[in-house]
Amino acid sequence: MISYIFVVMIAISVIGSVILGTTAEVSGAVMDGAQSAVELIISICGMMCLWSGIMQVAKEAKLTQKLSKLFAPLLSRLFPDVSKDSKAFSLICMNVSANLLGLANAATPLGLQAMQELKAQSDTDVATDSMVNFVVLNTASIQLLPTTVAAMRDALGSRSPYDVIFCVWITSVLALFSGLTVSKLCCAFGRDKWSL
Amino acid sequence: MEFVMPCIIAFIVCYALIKKVPVFDAFVVGAKDCIKMIFTLAPTLIGLIVSVTMLKASGVLDLLTDLLSPVTDKIGFPSELLPMTLLRPVSGGGSTALLNQVLSDFGPDSFLGRCASVIAGSTETTFYAIAVYFGAVKIKKIRHTLFAALVADFTAAIIAVLTVNLFFQGRV
């Protein structure tokens, strides 16, 4: 998939530059692009590593577990067919907490384990309502601090990289809400019609 | 607002110390993991940023923007954000490269820069996440997952523009 994106972008730029007469700009872009890529990586490296380190501390202090206990009541309403005591439910809670803290490396394995538990419970080839909701929850990013984006803004000279934080919170929550609402509506309208 | 960061850091390290966690060792482990991840990601990012810079330089993105602006202007969505928004569910690296483009072209504190930042901060790579999560349990019938996830991405784009408008009116 990524090969297609990569090749298509390059091909379109070269062909387009011939048509639009921008061949000189594209030639310059090859070198400028490589340079700015490395500049970007170096400039966000510091912030990201700092944050990653702090979050590892949080993880070892079991803050993720504490956080997940907070979310249990809310999450049990989202996943009615998963019992609160089951391993699947606690994995779901941990995955959500890890995502919230921006611990993608911890969140993904937990999420995969949660999916396996959900599959074991249902034993069909079709995604259950809980599975659908869980994946939608994961694809809508809910993070307390959008560190990567902030690091990029800071690298390019933003006066206040985190000033968009309220916008991000509101947008994330509303996006998630819309995704889950659509999911509930699709479930209500019958399982057979929406196989994609 | 920025003071939240030092507070959070202080809270976490103090809490961890009280809980007898080897704070600095843990910090180093986390930071090292991040460096490894960045080194793994660097080639991808270099390749994608070069191709996006080329695409931008060729003028094709502007053409696409101009073509789609009659539609997006009607709903008040900036057409300059379309390439990134459309690529976001498909490719994380590609959309990061496009985010970088928007931020450097228009400035990180501009209206467009902020909108792009909010969109990027509120969404994930939908297709990839679906493939990984359902692939791991070998489920092929995902029912309405993709549809719901794309609705979430679409909503994020619209709400992002609305909230940035609301919060930053007159401070662009």
Side-chain angles (χ1 to χ4, degrees):
Chain A
M1 166 65 103
I2 195 110
S3 300
Y4 288 117
I5 295 179
F6 185 56
V7 172
V8 164
M9 285 207 275
I10 292 180
I12 293 184
S13 9
V14 173
I15 297 172
S17 71
V18 172
I19 299 175
L20 296 166
T22 45
T23 47
E25 286 90 332
V26 171
S27 314
V30 177
M31 289 190 290
D32 291 344
Q35 190 179 330
S36 58
V38 175
E39 283 169 356
L40 174 73
I41 292 166
I42 292 183
S43 51
I44 65 172
C45 193
M47 190 65 209
M48 310 249 357
C49 286
L50 173 76
W51 204 246
S52 190
I54 297 292
M55 282 308 153
Q56 181 68 20
V57 176
K59 187 176 156 201
E60 290 195 21
K62 310 248 190 269
L63 275 171
T64 27
Q65 260 139 320
K66 290 247 149 58
L67 208 62
S68 69
K69 287 214 178 90
L70 271 174
F71 287 104
L74 181 66
L75 288 171
S76 63
R77 291 165 111 232
L78 270 176
F79 299 100
D81 29 322
V82 182
S83 89
K84 266 201 192 175
D85 309 314
S86 65
K87 191 171 178 202
F89 188 71
S90 65
L91 284 166
I92 291 175
C93 289
M94 294 279 286
N95 166 270
V96 170
S97 318
N99 267 318
L100 214 71
L101 292 175
L103 293 165
N105 295 341
T108 310
L110 287 166
L112 293 174
Q113 281 179 306
M115 283 297 276
Q116 270 153 358
E117 287 295 318
L118 287 174
K119 172 108 197 271
Q121 275 179 4
S122 76
D123 200 39
T124 65
D125 252 11
V126 181
T128 60
D129 293 352
S130 291
M131 284 188 202
V132 172
N133 287 338
F134 184 61
V135 175
V136 171
L137 189 60
N138 270 278
T139 63
S141 142
I142 305 274
Q143 273 189 317
L144 279 176
L145 289 172
T147 40
T148 319
V149 170
M152 286 173 72
R153 291 186 71 206
D154 184 50
L156 285 162
S158 167
R159 276 191 310 263
S160 170
Y162 281 96
D163 61 8
V164 284
I165 194 165
F166 291 119
C167 299
V168 173
W169 284 347
I170 296 175
T171 308
S172 307
V173 171
L174 287 174
L176 176 66
F177 181 70
S178 68
L180 289 173
T181 307
V182 165
S183 175
K184 293 263 168 188
L185 285 172
C186 291
C187 289
F189 275 102
R191 288 155 199 274
D192 317 315
K193 297 187 183 177
W194 293 95
S195 293
L196 260 173
Chain B
M1 188 62 234
E2 258 66 49
F3 191 58
V4 172
M5 275 275 263
C7 287
I8 294 180
I9 295 177
F11 171 73
I12 292 177
V13 297
C14 293
Y15 181 85
L17 193 68
I18 294 172
K19 292 276 172 180
K20 304 207 197 304
V21 172
V23 175
F24 205 73
D25 291 335
F27 176 79
V28 169
V29 166
K32 243 199 275 190
D33 276 345
C34 190
I35 296 216
K36 280 190 216 153
M37 183 199 71
I38 289 183
F39 266 97
T40 319
L41 268 178
T44 308
L45 223 51
I46 292 174
L48 286 169
I49 290 185
V50 168
S51 56
V52 162
T53 314
M54 284 172 71
L55 196 62
K56 173 77 185 150
S58 69
V60 169
L61 279 183
D62 296 327
L63 196 69
L64 191 70
T65 301
D66 290 338
L67 274 173
L68 291 164
S69 51
V71 175
T72 55
D73 284 348
K74 285 223 169 73
I75 52 171
F77 188 82
S79 49
E80 293 88 337
L81 297 175
L82 264 177
M84 188 199 93
T85 312
L86 291 174
L87 196 60
R88 185 72 182 166
V90 177
S91 161
S95 57
T96 305
L98 281 168
L99 170 66
N100 193 43
Q101 193 75 56
V102 172
L103 290 177
S104 48
D105 281 347
F106 301 104
D109 290 338
S110 65
F111 175 69
L112 287 170
R114 287 202 170 103
C115 284
S117 305
V118 176
I119 295 176
S122 315
T123 54
E124 292 276 353
T125 313
T126 306
F127 285 89
Y128 174 76
I130 289 180
V132 167
Y133 278 94
F134 282 115
V137 288
K138 301 208 189 340
I139 283 188
K140 297 216 168 120
K141 298 213 179 86
I142 61 171
R143 294 167 61 215
H144 50 272
T145 313
L146 184 61
F147 181 63
L150 288 175
V151 166
D153 290 336
F154 176 75
T155 311
I158 306 276
I159 304 279
V161 175
L162 287 173
T163 49
V164 173
N165 243 327
L166 208 70
F167 275 81
F168 295 98
Q169 221 155 31
R171 279 202 276 156
V172 171

